[in-house]
Amino acid sequence: MPERAEKVVVALSSIPNTGKTTLFNRLTGSSQTTGNWPGVSVEKKVGRFTLGEFEISLVDLPGAYALSPVTEEENIVRTYFLKTPPAVILNIIDASNLYRSLGLTLQMCTSGLPMVVAVNMIDKTTQLDIPLLSTHLGVPVIPISARSGQGVPDLQQALYEVIKEPERTHIPHISCPPVLEEAAKELSRKIIPGGALEKMDSNFLAMRLLEEKTFADSIQKTGLAAVINQWRDRVEKTTGEQIPITCAKCRFNAARGLILETTRKQSAPPDERSKCIDNILLHRWFSLPLFLLIMFLLFQAVYGLGAPLQDLIGQGFDAAEAWLRVQPFISRQSDWLQSFLFDGLWQGLGVVTSFFPIVALFFIFMSLIEDSGYMARAAFLMDHLMHRLGLDGKAFINLLLGYGCNVPAIMGTRILSSHHNRIITILLIPFTLCIARLQVFVFLTTILFSPVIAPFILFSLYLSSFIVIVLTGFFLKVLRIAGKPEPFIMEIPPYRMPTISGVALKTRQELKDFLYRAAPLIIAGVIVVWFLTHFPADVPAAGAETWAGRLGHLFSPLFNPLGIHWQETVALLFGLIAKEIVVGAMAVIYGGGDLSNQVFQHISPLQGLSFMVFTLFYTPCVATIAAIKAESGSWKITLFSLILGLVIAWLASLVLYQTGLALGLR
Amino acid sequence: MKKTKRRFERYPGVECIIHSLGADEKIAQRLAQMGVLPGATLQIIRLAPFGTTVEVSVDSGQSFAIRDEYLTALKCQILAMPLTYPDVRLHTTYRIRTLFGGRKFQQRMETQGIHPGLFIKIVNLTKPRVILQLIEHEKTVKLGRGEAEKIIIEVTNA
Ligand SMILES: Nc1nc2c(ncn2[C@@H]2O[C@H](COP(=O)(O)OP(=O)(O)OP(=O)(O)O)[C@@H](O)[C@H]2O)c(=O)[nH]1
Ligand SMILES: [Mg+2]
């Protein structure tokens, strides 16, 4: 073995909700990086720590119930194991319900890869014969509590030893119906595993080939396909069911046997506390009002606390700008450079910073709801409504929070249970009427409409936002833009107390992500808009002669039927920086003076309404675009979202304006 | 005894034993991998407010939210049902299996002499009252509909 620190990949894998992330955080502290798994917007987390002379990369795999995939997440786990097997598997078992976890554990054990099993949440039960479990599984088994840290040093020691001495003593045998065993034995003789698969047990590989039609394509050698199919047919005919189900039966039968042998007391007592809480929170009549109350509090907590902080930051930036502008080393610079520094770069930084408070608050409160176990209940309550759109209940919360600000809502889609749901929700969130847009609408309606009508206008804007979300949801469902929805079968976890460290780590991670993945795009976007509205250099900013003005003119044939003048098109372009800027931009574009008066003279109520409808549906802002890119990890989705927004905005404004004209409105 | 297919999943308290996981491959595979296999006992815990989503618990101690259509597709044999279940017959002897409610409800039933293990006959099922004959105690008890929903009974061989 080499002398220098050797790099070792350890993969953390278990079924959902066993404390994987908690253990990951405990082992790696803050040295984590997140990203997306290639091609899918599923979180990929890698963290580093050292064990003696080894430098460990710990990969936090998505939760999976088995290696033959049903969901996108499981597909990732399966592909990861078979394409790039880790040096060691770190598998977690939920001590409070062994049966849940053992199915996957047994499957992983038979792979023949070096493995360590951690029995987590040992604080909840002590009635376990750990050595016996270890003997049966053929791998070290360590009781731990990821939450309190108890047993973690032992786990590290066990990992170290397995890395040093990776040979497995024995591989457990799971008894199956004779025909299946025969098929596996027959096939295992025929496959000659090469490359990454060399380390794996051939019986395990044979099982994989039998269980999974898609996997077979990736490793089969010539002539094997026919044999596999033959066996598959024979097994399915004999057992009368699909092979994955037969295999699951075998595993869980083995699991039952193991549990009988290794637990001293029969099955853990049912969780009375969760039952009591559910009797209230999921009560037939009270559940919905309570849900709405919790959502209201959540919304208020994020945006009620966040908005003043945002204002404060905005003021700070303005003050700093004013101070900087008069500094000699800056005022000496040329005009356009100053403009670039302040109207471009500085403004971009300001936009990025202004998102910090709400992103932080958003993830603090979302983690509380998620970690406490209420998120699953919310999904259960709202499932029926969202099911119609091909989504499940969790997406409701993201959409709802979009009504505050799209950016954190889009970042928060990571909690959703499938790739399909994430993409659809990401595409729908931009149609929510966020607070920034509300500010523009309030400003315009008070100028253009009488105080009696104005509230109705605002209300109908909210209503049309709902309607467009529902219609677009149906449209996307029919279009199958993100593939098929996954079956909705969700485990409802017991209620648990969230931990401060867990919430803090999560929030920190999200802020870091926002900074690294979304912020550069936001600043770039702001600078592009600055360029369009300030160049060529020798014309007045935001005027008809700038690129923006020319674009406005160029597109006027498109916008005239909507009753939107080129000046407002430029304002819409400005609105990409942030919606709050639209109003200020209008003042500049109309050439100063009293803005209310200017608006009143230039825009008729019907035109104003059309402008607002367009503002409501076209892409909210560069920050949202950046968030969509960062979350979906795909320019295609980002572009699709942009176009979808523009098309819907255009159509909605067109219908509104032309109908209005036809009805004789003005 | 074969009965017409009831939408058993619409009655909280119903317990059934799974015979087969249904025809949809993906859903069957999902359930199997979660450890919900033929032979497992399901209990319907509650319906979501709009009704198409159901919470069920499995004898292995897990609790799931699941769409009712998936449950309809399962082949199940009903083991126990609430008094208000449509298949419950008048003048047939049943045994009380569980009281499906909080401690308060259980105490209230106890004071009326109703407890798990008791043999009963149903005298009247028409709304709004359910009248039970407690066979061993030789008396009858009147129950509200809401109470009857929470008394889970099983068929006896006697
Ligand atoms: N009592 C107790 N709770 C724990 C322990 N470890 C984790 N938890 C809790 O279990 C819950 C789930 O933990 P996570 O770390 O999010 O589990 P996970 O496996 O990453 O879950 P998914 O990412 O959803 O698959 C959290 O509420 C934790 O606080 C433990 O040792 N004891
Ligand atoms: Mg996790």
Side-chain angles (χ1 to χ4, degrees):
Chain A
M1 243 174 231
E3 303 286 352
R4 271 179 297 116
E6 198 184 336
K7 293 204 169 89
V8 180
V9 178
V10 176
L12 194 52
S13 139
S14 76
I15 66 165
N17 227 306
T18 47
K20 227 174 331 102
T21 306
T22 314
L23 180 63
F24 180 84
N25 290 342
R26 193 159 277 286
L27 287 174
T28 63
S30 54
S31 66
Q32 311 175 359
T33 50
T34 57
N36 282 335
W37 287 93
V40 258
S41 66
V42 176
E43 189 171 53
K44 176 181 191 173
K45 256 186 166 180
V46 182
R48 269 159 249 285
F49 64 100
T50 49
L51 265 187
E53 68 267 35
F54 301 110
E55 195 180 313
I56 314 281
S57 296
L58 189 63
V59 183
D60 187 11
L61 290 170
Y65 285 101
L67 280 175
S68 39
V70 176
T71 63
E72 193 74 42
E73 268 86 349
E74 286 168 348
N75 205 2
I76 291 171
V77 173
R78 191 277 313 258
T79 311
Y80 177 84
F81 271 110
L82 297 179
K83 291 265 158 71
T84 51
V88 180
I89 303 173
L90 176 50
N91 176 255
I92 304 182
I93 292 183
D94 174 356
S96 61
N97 190 339
L98 289 179
Y99 180 78
R100 285 179 74 220
S101 340
L102 274 174
L104 180 72
T105 305
L106 283 167
Q107 199 172 30
M108 296 256 169
C109 274
T110 55
S111 74
L113 288 176
M115 177 160 152
V116 175
V117 171
V119 180
N120 190 27
M121 310 202 202
I122 202 70
D123 45 317
K124 289 194 181 167
T125 34
T126 45
Q127 313 281 336
L128 248 179
D129 189 340
I130 300 281
L132 190 59
L133 193 58
S134 172
T135 318
H136 279 300
L137 293 176
V139 297
V141 176
I142 315 291
I144 64 162
S145 166
R147 202 159 159 161
S148 69
Q150 174 202 340
V152 174
D154 300 339
L155 179 66
Q156 285 168 324
Q157 182 60 31
L159 259 181
Y160 177 78
E161 280 161 19
V162 168
I163 294 169
K164 271 216 110 104
E165 207 63 59
E167 288 314 309
R168 289 275 300 268
T169 48
H170 85 277
I171 292 169
H173 178 77
I174 298 173
S175 55
C176 296
V179 57
L180 187 55
E181 298 219 357
E182 199 187 331
K185 204 180 269 165
E186 199 59 38
L187 277 178
S188 67
R189 269 195 227 116
K190 295 217 166 90
I191 32 180
I192 313 133
L197 299 172
E198 211 164 315
K199 287 186 279 180
M200 291 190 204
D201 185 60
S202 54
N203 207 54
F204 168 79
L205 288 176
M207 274 301 191
R208 305 258 52 70
L209 285 173
L210 284 167
E211 267 196 62
E212 264 189 68
K213 300 191 171 102
T214 44
F215 170 56
D217 305 330
S218 66
I219 73 155
Q220 66 190 226
K221 299 277 178 303
T222 41
L224 214 52
V227 185
I228 295 170
N229 282 335
Q230 242 171 354
W231 276 111
R232 210 180 267 149
D233 288 346
R234 209 174 126 188
V235 173
E236 287 189 346
K237 209 168 277 162
T238 316
T239 59
E241 59 198 359
Q242 301 170 60
I243 297 182
I245 293 179
T246 314
C247 288
K249 267 188 192 165
C250 309
R251 289 199 300 275
F252 282 104
N253 279 337
R256 247 186 236 116
L258 261 182
I259 292 168
L260 280 179
E261 272 191 69
T262 55
T263 49
R264 268 157 248 162
K265 220 169 59 186
Q266 271 301 303
S267 70
D271 184 358
E272 288 301 331
R273 197 181 51 149
S274 290
K275 252 191 207 164
C276 285
I277 302 177
D278 272 344
N279 279 340
I280 301 165
L281 286 182
L282 296 183
H283 185 272
R284 204 185 301 177
W285 308 117
F286 305 147
S287 58
L288 274 187
L290 280 170
F291 172 74
L292 293 175
L293 178 72
I294 290 172
M295 287 302 110
F296 175 77
L297 290 177
L298 173 68
F299 200 90
Q300 285 303 317
V302 176
Y303 300 112
L305 289 177
L309 284 174
Q310 273 187 307
D311 288 346
L312 211 64
I313 288 178
Q315 285 163 15
F317 259 80
D318 288 347
E321 182 183 335
W323 181 79
L324 280 172
R325 268 189 197 275
V326 295
Q327 296 308 305
F329 69 96
I330 285 181
S331 53
R332 242 185 280 126
Q333 310 296 331
S334 67
D335 277 353
W336 83 262
L337 185 61
Q338 280 193 42
S339 171
F340 169 76
L341 285 176
F342 290 111
D343 301 330
L345 200 57
W346 190 253
Q347 179 140 44
L349 281 175
V351 171
V352 168
T353 320
S354 73
F355 279 110
F356 268 70
I358 41 172
V359 171
L361 286 166
F362 180 92
F363 281 103
I364 289 173
F365 288 104
M366 283 297 257
S367 311
L368 286 179
I369 289 197
E370 166 95 333
D371 290 356
S372 65
Y374 187 69
M375 190 65 88
R377 272 83 182 174
F380 168 69
L381 291 175
M382 286 294 119
D383 181 61
H384 179 73
L385 284 184
M386 303 310 287
H387 180 29
R388 301 277 169 91
L389 303 182
L391 293 172
D392 68 34
K394 283 184 191 174
F396 181 87
I397 296 182
N398 286 81
L399 282 172
L400 186 81
L401 287 161
Y403 280 88
C405 176
N406 290 184
V407 174
I410 287 173
M411 292 175 70
T413 53
R414 218 171 285 178
I415 56 153
L416 297 183
S417 33
S418 75
H419 178 64
H420 167 271
N421 290 359
R422 269 185 289 275
I423 297 299
I424 300 289
T425 313
I426 283 175
L427 289 173
L428 290 182
I429 285 174
F431 299 114
T432 56
L433 198 165
C434 67
I435 289 174
R437 276 178 274 205
L438 182 63
Q439 288 173 10
V440 179
F441 299 158
V442 168
F443 176 79
L444 287 177
T445 41
T446 40
I447 296 177
L448 295 173
F449 298 95
S450 75
V452 184
I453 307 181
F456 287 102
I457 301 282
L458 285 179
F459 177 75
S460 15
L461 284 168
Y462 271 110
L463 198 64
S464 34
S465 161
F466 286 130
I467 293 172
V468 164
I469 287 176
V470 171
L471 292 181
T472 314
F474 281 128
F475 173 68
L476 294 174
K477 190 178 163 191
V478 175
L479 216 62
R480 287 270 158 95
I481 185 90
K484 271 196 204 167
E486 283 164 5
F488 178 75
I489 303 174
M490 178 186 68
E491 270 193 77
I492 299 184
Y495 285 103
R496 295 192 181 111
M497 202 63 190
T499 58
I500 294 175
S501 64
V503 172
L505 244 162
K506 173 90 187 149
T507 308
R508 221 187 72 160
Q509 194 61 49
E510 293 292 342
L511 280 176
K512 216 167 106 188
D513 262 21
F514 174 73
L515 200 61
Y516 286 126
R517 293 205 274 160
L521 271 175
I522 296 178
I523 294 178
V526 172
I527 289 176
V528 168
V529 175
W530 167 81
F531 178 77
L532 288 177
T533 49
H534 287 74
F535 275 79
D538 46 359
V539 301
E545 298 300 309
T546 59
W547 295 116
R550 289 183 207 180
L551 278 177
H553 281 297
L554 185 70
F555 285 117
S556 59
L558 269 181
F559 283 96
N560 280 343
L562 315 183
I564 296 176
H565 313 122
W566 72 265
Q567 290 99 326
E568 291 129 51
T569 318
V570 177
L572 288 173
L573 195 63
F574 268 110
L576 280 180
I577 297 182
K579 281 289 161 302
E580 297 88 329
I581 296 179
V582 169
V583 174
M586 282 180 144
V588 178
I589 298 162
Y590 285 128
D594 177 25
L595 182 59
S596 311
N597 240 330
Q598 294 273 14
V599 169
F600 198 72
Q601 277 170 15
H602 281 88
I603 308 176
S604 75
L606 184 59
Q607 287 171 342
L609 207 55
S610 170
F611 178 77
M612 286 192 276
V613 167
F614 198 91
T615 308
L616 174 57
F617 296 129
Y618 90 115
T619 312
C621 55
V622 283
T624 304
I625 301 175
I628 294 175
K629 168 67 180 70
E631 266 335 293
S632 69
S634 144
W635 282 114
K636 226 163 67 191
I637 297 289
T638 315
L639 198 68
F640 181 76
S641 161
L642 261 170
I643 293 170
L644 188 70
L646 283 170
V647 169
I648 288 178
W650 191 81
L651 286 176
S653 292
L654 182 76
V655 170
L656 176 89
Y657 189 64
Q658 295 302 333
T659 322
L661 284 185
L663 290 176
L665 299 176
R666 205 190 63 83
Chain B
M1 51 188 161
K2 270 266 178 278
K3 281 176 195 155
T4 50
K5 180 97 182 159
R6 285 275 174 222
R7 301 210 57 191
F8 69 90
E9 68 278 4
R10 321 236 17 106
Y11 296 88
V14 164
E15 280 178 56
C16 64
I17 186 161
I18 301 176
H19 282 314
S20 102
L21 292 177
D24 186 306
E25 279 193 21
K26 250 191 167 181
I27 289 160
Q29 199 174 329
R30 168 74 327 153
L31 286 170
Q33 291 173 348
M34 284 174 146
V36 182
L37 290 157
T41 311
L42 279 185
Q43 183 172 30
I44 309 294
I45 303 295
R46 57 168 64 82
L47 310 181
F50 304 106
T52 54
T53 320
V54 183
E55 180 183 343
V56 297
S57 74
V58 191
D59 49 1
S60 55
Q62 296 139 287
S63 179
F64 299 95
I66 182 170
R67 298 224 171 98
D68 59 356
E69 51 194 290
Y70 306 163
L71 289 174
T72 318
L74 298 180
K75 284 208 192 74
C76 286
Q77 185 196 344
I78 308 279
L79 293 178
M81 57 216 147
L83 275 177
T84 48
Y85 193 67
D87 287 348
V88 170
R89 305 270 165 77
L90 285 184
H91 310 299
T92 310
T93 307
Y94 292 102
R95 190 196 290 122
I96 294 180
R97 184 173 166 105
T98 46
L99 297 175
F100 189 59
R103 195 165 295 144
K104 260 197 201 137
F105 170 75
Q106 293 182 358
Q107 278 164 1
R108 200 168 68 226
M109 289 298 108
E110 198 72 44
T111 56
Q112 304 211 47
I114 295 176
H115 54 81
L118 193 68
F119 287 93
I120 53 153
K121 260 185 200 165
I122 300 155
V123 182
N124 177 18
L125 259 174
T126 44
K127 282 176 190 172
R129 288 256 166 258
V130 174
I131 301 175
L132 292 187
Q133 184 191 357
L134 312 185
I135 295 175
E136 289 147 72
H137 301 307
E138 292 179 346
K139 68 170 190 174
T140 55
V141 182
K142 281 184 195 165
L143 296 169
R145 202 87 198 155
E147 292 171 323
E149 275 177 2
K150 295 192 210 157
I151 296 179
I152 310 302
I153 53 171
E154 58 194 348
V155 180
T156 63
N157 306 326

